[in-house]
Amino acid sequence: SEYYHYFDIDWDHPQHELKGKLMVPFLGDELQVCLDKEEVKLAFSGDGFTITYADMAWPLSLPCYELLQATFREIDPQTTIPSILLKMTAAAQKVNRQTWSGIRKQFLAAVTGDPAHVEITTRVVTSLNSSRPALEALLAQQYYRLTSWKETENRINYRRFFTVNELICLRMEDPEVFEEYHAGIVTLLKERIIQGLRIDHIDGLQDPANYTQALRALAGDSCYIIAEKILEAKEDMPAQWPLQGTSGYEFLSFLNQLLTLRTGARRLLAFYRDLIPGMPSYDKLIFESKRLILGNYMRGEWDNITHLLVSLNLADGFDPERMRTALGFFMLSLPVYRLYPESLPLKGKNLVIAQEAFDKALSAGSDYSQEINHLRNLFTEAQPEARALPFLKRLMQFTGPLTAKGVEDTTFYIYNPLISHDEVGDSPGPLGMSIQRFHEKMQKRQAATPLSLNATATHDTKRGEDARVRINVLSRIPELWIQCVGQWLEINRPCRSCLDGRPAPGLNDEYFIYQSILGGFPEDFQVTEEFILRVQAYLNKALREAKVNTNWSEPDEQYEKACERFVRQILNTNHAFLSSFLPFLKIVCEHAMVYSLSQTLIKLTAPGIPDIYQGCELWDLSFVDPDNRRPVDFDKRMEYLFQLVLREEKGKEALFEYLRQHHQAGIEKLYITWKTLNYRKTHPDLFIAGDYIPLDVTGQQEIAVAYARRRETSWAMVIVPLGLVKREMDSTEDFFSSQHIVLPDDAPERWLNLFTGDTHASPNQISLSEIFRDFPVALLVGL
């Protein structure tokens, strides 16, 4: 193929059997074992000769046609097929691929159009398949090497997307690849079929800065471009990237932390430590999880990067194995997904982060201090080796996948004090954020990246946005949760299995199950067979991702089946668990519904562009992919929206009656989305370029979040409640009676509540009890 060099393949791999050959790791076992079982065979069809395995087929490489010629002559000396094959191979040396394809089609027509030729070809295929040496000789002449899929855990000669063998990465740093790849995108932009681009997994690029600059030059200044980039707590998107912002995972984190009460979360963490005393600290668990991924699943990549270091003469005489270990400690210690080096020595934030990683690496690998310090000098000394920069850029293409697999796809399924924060972009390390800190984050966001997406759910999030809110509510009722968990552990004791002296599920997995069921339980509180199967499928994936009691490579089916039985038994309506669980769930949902509406309104009005994942117009109680990709009932949503429009025309009373009737389905969330987006549509500058102004709340400070958006004379004010669980049996009016929003001196004196239609007049402050009298959250616009 003329495109072979577009892909990031190491054709000069140090292991001889991989030199000049593409590794094709799709066999269920080693090649010799598959040959023993006669699973790998030669085949012939209208598509020509292929090597087949299961339902897969690969075309023959050109050199093996000489072997085919000899076999044809051996089977039938009179056949003319070898002469046709000879013409094909001779022509292939002189023509381009398109001409070669035409010659190949002529050959196939000549063979398949003659029954005698078909018969002799069948005999040739049978002969080669019956001769192990001949079949092995045929396989040896291919431009690819068939291997077991598990072999990539130890060696590999191409760069893949994370650890997905089927996806070979492109060499996007090659100008030819860049131009060819983007040709179709340019056409779509020119024809105005699309107006924006999202860069997926930007951390996989060798040079993200150069790529984004080239993309901007290609797409033009008017094109909206964002990148999927997970920012750690103290990390910002590089300023030199000419992008509007990110796909919004950092916003998800800010909002998720805001909806968690810090004091209650600390109580949950203390309970978790007592419940699972052997659980390492979160930071240590990340280190160990990344070590597991690097050693067990990315050893081939690790070896390749070490070989590159040595081949570039950057090892300075150190033993390669020791340098390999030192590189490992550095990668494990990096506190972010990757660095973005454009020159050496490293400067600014890149230097600070690198020094932090090297300090941690020295602490973890003190026996390798000389090698680690050598690496440090390569990247930070005043006159670095010129070859060190290409090496560092290459190294950074692997630290991102290592972190993603070690944190998102391992640690997040093990560390369970509050699983709503085991989320893409978020972290269960710190739990909870003050309102003041949230305001600071939003002001910085407005100043730096006002066009970043505001995401609360994506195809990659670990659970639905409203499921996450339910779990966050536990931070507001920790003692009740702890009491209930104690009861459930006793109630469900008979449902656990014992496998070789260990419980199944283990205690940590059982605690994960309770939180998962809480988050995903149907809004009508009815257990169905579909829900049980969904929980089982989700749990099975979670257990394998955790890699503690089972994994993808060598699944412990006994443990998995025991956990599936546990789920089915505790969700049986005849079992005592549901009688205890459902009353608690209803308490959680009463408050989670309000917090979900708060989450929705903040997403729609805070700095950034609201991103609404498919189906999230109503409650999103999904589990991780593939559960969050189930078909969405858009007809139901359109019918609800039609009725909302109709009822609003009939007046407030008809509208609010309809909202009450469909409260359980999440129609208030749809109502907020409809009203707010329509207002944004008519006032875009207010939300895109308007100031973000935190507003003070009198009395109990953490009781509500309030802020204003202001653009010249246009004003909008957002007020959402927090701390509702403290209300207990009090009415909303009594609960908020002494609380007021303090307005800026230049704010309007009259406001219209877009959700209720009420007007409020006050020069200085507005009462929360007045605001929340008819609807749980408020969007007021200045009159």
Side-chain angles (χ1 to χ4, degrees), residues 446 450-451 604-610 674-691 708-718 748 751-752 754 779-783:
Q446 181 61 33
L451 296 178
L604 298 174
T605 57
I609 307 300
W674 168 52
K675 296 293 288 185
T676 307
L677 287 184
N678 272 280
Y679 186 73
R680 276 192 71 120
K681 184 178 181 180
T682 57
H683 298 77
D685 290 346
L686 175 61
F687 294 97
I688 291 175
D691 298 330
R709 303 303 307 272
R710 177 185 60 190
R711 175 70 170 171
E712 298 176 347
T713 59
S714 295
W715 284 76
M717 181 163 51
V718 174
W751 299 84
L752 171 66
L754 287 188
L779 173 58
L780 289 81
V781 298
L783 296 176

Side-chain angles (χ1 to χ4, degrees), residues 592-618:
M593 288 177 179
V594 177
Y595 292 130
S596 284
L597 300 184
S598 298
Q599 175 176 256
T600 300
L601 183 56
I602 292 174
K603 174 174 72 173
L604 298 174
T605 57
I609 307 300
D611 177 28
I612 300 170
Y613 185 61
Q614 57 184 20
C616 290
E617 299 84 5
L618 301 177

Side-chain angles (χ1 to χ4, degrees), residues 273 280-287 407 411-412 415 422 427-429:
R273 291 286 180 209
S281 68
Y282 178 63
D283 288 343
K284 185 175 181 181
L285 185 60
I286 287 178
F287 189 89
V407 179
T411 303
F412 278 2
Y415 190 74
D422 291 320
S427 167

Side-chain angles (χ1 to χ4, degrees), residues 55 134 154 232 290 318 347 402 409 428 446 452 502-503 608 621 648 665 702 714 736 782:
D55 60 349
N154 295 301
E232 297 296 342
K290 289 171 68 174
F318 285 103
K347 299 180 180 66
L402 173 61
D409 293 342
Q446 181 61 33
S452 276
R502 59 178 179 139
L621 305 174
E648 187 179 51
E702 298 289 318
S714 295
F736 289 117

